[in-house]
Amino acid sequence: MPELPEVAGLAGFLDEHLRGAVVRKIQIVSFAVLKTADPPFTALEECTISGVRRFGKFVSLDTDGPSFVFHLARAGWVRFTDSPTGTQLRMGKGYIAARLAFSGPDGDHGMDLTEAGTKKSLAVYVVSDPQDVQGIAALGPDPFSAAFDADMLVEILGSTSQQIKGVLRSQSVIAGIGNAYSDEILHAARISPFATAKSLDRDTVQSLYNAIHSVLGTALAEAEGKPPSELKDVKRGHMRVHARTGEACPVCGDTVREVSFADTSLQYCPTCQTKGKILADRRTSKFLK
């Protein structure tokens, strides 16, 4: 799933290439992808892109009319081209959920929203204001907003008995962090994914705050300026524990372990994060505290 760094890189790329372009045609191909009806998606046609913004994991193409907002979910992505085709797509066929064609000062562009797999979660909203999207209105603070400091994180964590892994992934608590980067942040901060949020002392929370900024900041810098076709590989390339089950931890050399759930999994280093304890797979037994 694309998370804050990839979505920020994507938004920056689209802003650079589409600002000032005119939406010439929009096709909604998936029956389920469009989540709004008013204004109609056709109201975007002949509107000029005024900018592209990120809200957590949402991207908003703002125009002098409505905004085109999308969330890529787990398996969605963007295919961008400077050679768009005028082919009329068939509803409900293939992996393309929506197609937009643009014309601008530097030529024509095309953008497809695609989704792999059978579980369709990619979402598109055509709204007068991005804040009209419920998921955006409910977002917690962005990790790179001026208001998000260590004191705010202390307050957030002190108010919940949830496990820290779940807190970091909750978009209503902190916007933009998902499964992959929460693994990386907790590894960098040397915190067990199952530690209770309110149990963390002030020094540990400061370490977590520093890790949020260092891990996401590094990933943001690596994603900046990359086209959509390269962003996924950029994400995979700098992961230390996420999706590295069975490999050696680059910090201590211990074996990276995994805990699997019904539809997801997490990775961690026992030496760095759990004082050497192996967390049991929750599918078959209770995990260790």
Side-chain angles (χ1 to χ4, degrees):
M1 175 185 290
E3 299 178 35
L4 187 155
E6 297 78 47
V7 177
L10 178 61
F13 177 90
L14 293 176
D15 185 72
E16 178 183 353
H17 288 78
L18 294 180
R19 184 183 287 263
V22 175
V23 182
R24 292 305 184 195
K25 185 176 182 179
I26 176 170
Q27 298 182 61
I28 299 297
V29 187
S30 165
F31 292 103
V33 68
L34 186 62
K35 306 301 182 183
T36 56
D38 185 24
F41 71 86
T42 52
L44 284 162
E45 294 181 350
E46 303 308 318
C47 289
T48 300
I49 303 294
S50 57
V52 182
R53 294 183 286 170
R54 177 186 65 82
F55 298 89
K57 299 179 189 177
F58 292 84
V59 174
S60 176
L61 276 63
D62 300 325
T63 78
D64 54 1
S67 291
F68 180 88
V69 178
F70 61 90
H71 188 290
L72 294 167
R74 176 172 292 186
W77 198 238
V78 170
R79 186 172 64 184
F80 189 86
T81 178
D82 292 326
S83 302
T85 174
T87 302
Q88 183 67 36
L89 301 173
R90 295 175 61 190
M91 285 290 292
K93 299 294 183 181
Y95 62 92
I96 299 174
R99 170 170 286 177
L100 290 84
F102 310 89
S103 61
D106 61 345
D108 295 339
H109 305 291
M111 185 180 86
D112 289 344
L113 296 182
T114 66
E115 188 167 25
T118 56
K119 186 177 181 180
K120 303 300 183 183
S121 303
L122 190 151
V124 167
Y125 310 82
V126 178
V127 290
S128 299
D129 187 311
Q131 292 297 328
D132 293 339
V133 177
Q134 184 177 0
I136 290 178
L139 288 173
D142 191 274
F144 291 96
S145 66
F148 186 77
D149 56 17
D151 290 336
M152 176 180 280
L153 187 58
V154 168
E155 184 177 348
I156 289 171
L157 300 185
S159 66
T160 177
S161 297
Q162 281 187 278
Q163 294 163 351
I164 189 61
K165 169 77 174 179
V167 174
L168 290 179
R169 292 187 62 189
S170 176
Q171 299 304 294
S172 63
V173 178
I174 303 172
I177 302 172
N179 191 42
Y181 285 104
S182 59
D183 282 350
E184 295 298 303
I185 289 165
L186 291 171
H187 177 254
R190 305 179 73 87
I191 298 172
S192 168
F194 293 134
T196 302
K198 67 190 307 181
S199 72
L200 303 180
D201 61 33
R202 185 63 172 76
D203 288 344
T204 304
V205 176
Q206 183 66 56
S207 295
L208 180 62
Y209 178 83
N210 294 343
I212 290 172
H213 277 255
S214 63
V215 169
L216 295 181
T218 297
L220 273 170
E222 293 181 353
E224 186 176 3
K226 299 291 193 303
S229 59
E230 296 180 16
L231 284 171
K232 288 184 179 181
D233 287 339
V234 169
K235 178 180 180 178
R236 297 186 190 103
H238 61 74
M239 293 291 167
R240 292 188 166 197
V241 292
H242 182 75
R244 302 287 189 188
T245 303
E247 299 181 19
C249 169
V251 174
C252 71
D254 195 359
T255 301
V256 174
R257 304 281 182 160
E258 177 176 303
V259 176
S260 298
F261 302 91
D263 60 352
T264 188
S265 63
L266 65 84
Q267 288 79 40
Y268 70 100
C269 170
T271 295
C272 291
Q273 296 175 255
T274 60
K275 299 180 180 179
K277 291 182 179 179
I278 308 299
L279 303 177
D281 194 323
R282 206 174 180 188
R283 293 176 302 179
T284 57
S285 62
K286 294 181 180 180
F287 55 78
L288 302 176
K289 297 292 186 182

